[in-house]
Amino acid sequence: MWGANHSVLSGFVLLGFSDRPRLEQALFGVILLLYLMALLGNSAIVLVSRLDPRLHTPMYFFLSHLSLLDLCFTSGILPQLLVHLRGSDKSISYGGCVVQLCVSLALGSTECVLLAIMSYDRYVAVCRPLHYALVMHPRLCHSLAAVAWLSGVATTLVQSTLTLQLPFCGHRRVDHFFCEVPVLLKLACGDTTFNQAELFVASVLFLVLPLSLILVSYGHIAQAVLRTRSAAGRRKALGTCSSHLLVVTLFYGTIIFMYLQPARSRSRDQGKFVSLFYTVVTPILNPLVYTLRNQEVKAALRRVLGKVLGLSGA
């Protein structure tokens, strides 16, 4: 019992990539650059979605929530990682570990639900275009966004409570670069059978179920596109959905690999690099995908920058 309390008082040591000093040096520069790009890109989408009246549509309403999620997620994980990559002290307080655990659970679960909601929005836009404004009215959009955020809070309250109640028996060395459920379960010295079962159920609810809804939505969208005789109409439908589909593929591919694959089947460093992808790479890819592949967002950025900088030709 004293050992468990000692871990709480002393916090943890995040080993991360400390066994590879050269890799740490390279990762520091790359992650710092990507973090700044993620901050800039996602902040730009949030601001432009709010400031440009032409983007006051359900699609960009949900996109601004996605960018806000990525802003919060990266800011909750990456500053501590950068400190650890730069210095020799890899410790993190118990409170800091709790914050990282709650951030990863709440925002990760919220993003899963939000991406499913965005797929429904795309389904209505492509398959029921004449009823789009009637179906996706502002009250429904705000309600769906609230459901996404509240579901993330709910799963955090359950999973973080169950995880933090486990006895760690003085074990403080976490073979990872931030505190998340799978690595903390490995650290526990008690029986984690119930926690593993609960994690699997949560993974089904927040990964498999939303992904199934996304696949059903895109199945209907594919049928609608195939029935469209006009080549221009098919291109418009594909352009409407391609950005979201790419984001879904990147996000769910890495998350499912991390949370649904048995922990024993992963190599020692495999989980770290997978987590590094969805904590660093995915948040910067989202704004890039939605700006580089979306003419409306690029035009809105030019208009907003024109107003800010006082350029008459924007």
Side-chain angles (χ1 to χ4, degrees):
M1 194 61 165
W2 178 87
N5 291 334
H6 181 67
S7 289
V8 171
L9 293 173
S10 303
F12 299 95
V13 176
L14 298 176
L15 298 178
F17 304 95
S18 57
D19 57 336
R20 302 181 183 182
R22 292 185 179 179
L23 178 61
E24 281 192 322
Q25 295 177 5
L27 283 176
F28 177 82
V30 172
I31 292 174
L32 178 60
L33 176 62
L34 292 178
Y35 178 45
L36 294 176
M37 291 175 64
L39 290 178
L40 179 62
N42 286 295
S43 297
I45 287 181
V46 171
L47 290 175
V48 78
S49 298
R50 293 287 188 268
L51 297 177
D52 195 309
R54 301 184 193 184
L55 298 188
H56 291 175
T57 64
M59 175 181 174
Y60 296 108
F61 170 77
F62 293 124
L63 176 58
S64 65
H65 279 268
L66 180 64
S67 294
L68 180 61
L69 273 172
D70 287 335
L71 278 172
C72 297
F73 188 83
T74 53
S75 297
I77 303 296
L78 296 188
Q80 183 70 65
L81 173 58
L82 290 170
V83 170
H84 286 173
L85 290 174
R86 193 64 174 174
S88 57
D89 183 10
K90 312 296 182 183
S91 63
I92 182 173
S93 67
Y94 181 78
C97 188
V98 171
V99 169
Q100 289 190 342
L101 178 66
C102 292
V103 165
S104 61
L105 281 173
L107 300 185
S109 302
T110 301
E111 186 158 348
C112 291
V113 178
L114 186 60
L115 288 174
I117 292 171
M118 292 174 73
S119 72
Y120 175 71
D121 171 69
R122 294 299 83 206
Y123 157 76
V124 177
V126 174
C127 300
R128 302 180 61 188
L130 298 180
H131 301 88
Y132 182 74
L134 181 64
V135 174
M136 300 302 296
H137 53 83
R139 181 178 298 178
L140 177 63
C141 292
H142 284 89
S143 298
L144 291 174
V147 167
W149 285 95
L150 290 175
S151 64
V153 172
T155 190
T156 300
L157 292 175
V158 174
Q159 284 192 268
S160 61
T161 301
L162 291 174
T163 303
L164 295 173
Q165 285 181 342
L166 289 170
F168 297 111
C169 303
H171 300 307
R172 300 181 57 236
R173 298 169 68 84
V174 181
D175 192 17
H176 205 51
F177 63 86
F178 77 100
C179 297
E180 60 177 347
V181 175
V183 296
L184 290 179
L185 292 184
K186 288 182 180 180
L187 200 67
C189 60
D191 183 15
T192 61
T193 304
F194 179 78
N195 297 79
Q196 294 284 0
E198 190 276 333
L199 178 61
F200 180 78
V201 171
S203 299
V204 171
L205 290 176
F206 288 96
L207 291 176
V208 177
L209 183 58
L211 183 58
S212 300
L213 295 175
I214 291 172
L215 293 176
V216 170
S217 296
Y218 276 102
H220 287 290
I221 290 172
Q223 292 178 350
V225 171
L226 292 175
R227 288 197 300 265
T228 303
R229 296 182 179 181
S230 168
R234 287 195 294 270
R235 285 195 299 269
K236 182 179 179 180
L238 291 174
T240 300
C241 302
S242 59
S243 297
H244 177 258
L245 191 57
L246 181 56
V247 168
V248 166
T249 303
L250 292 171
F251 179 78
Y252 274 97
T254 53
I255 294 291
I256 286 177
F257 183 88
M258 185 66 186
Y259 279 86
L260 290 186
Q261 186 185 19
R264 294 179 181 178
S265 65
R266 295 193 296 264
S267 67
R268 180 173 174 269
D269 289 333
Q270 202 172 43
K272 297 180 189 178
F273 287 105
V274 172
S275 298
L276 199 63
F277 187 89
Y278 71 75
T279 56
V280 180
V281 179
T282 303
I284 181 58
L285 287 179
N286 288 349
L288 287 177
V289 167
Y290 276 103
T291 53
L292 294 179
R293 299 175 60 86
N294 192 308
Q295 296 299 325
E296 288 181 322
V297 175
K298 288 192 286 188
L301 282 171
R302 287 194 295 267
R303 287 193 295 269
V304 170
L305 285 175
K307 291 179 181 179
V308 172
L309 300 176
L311 301 177
S312 58

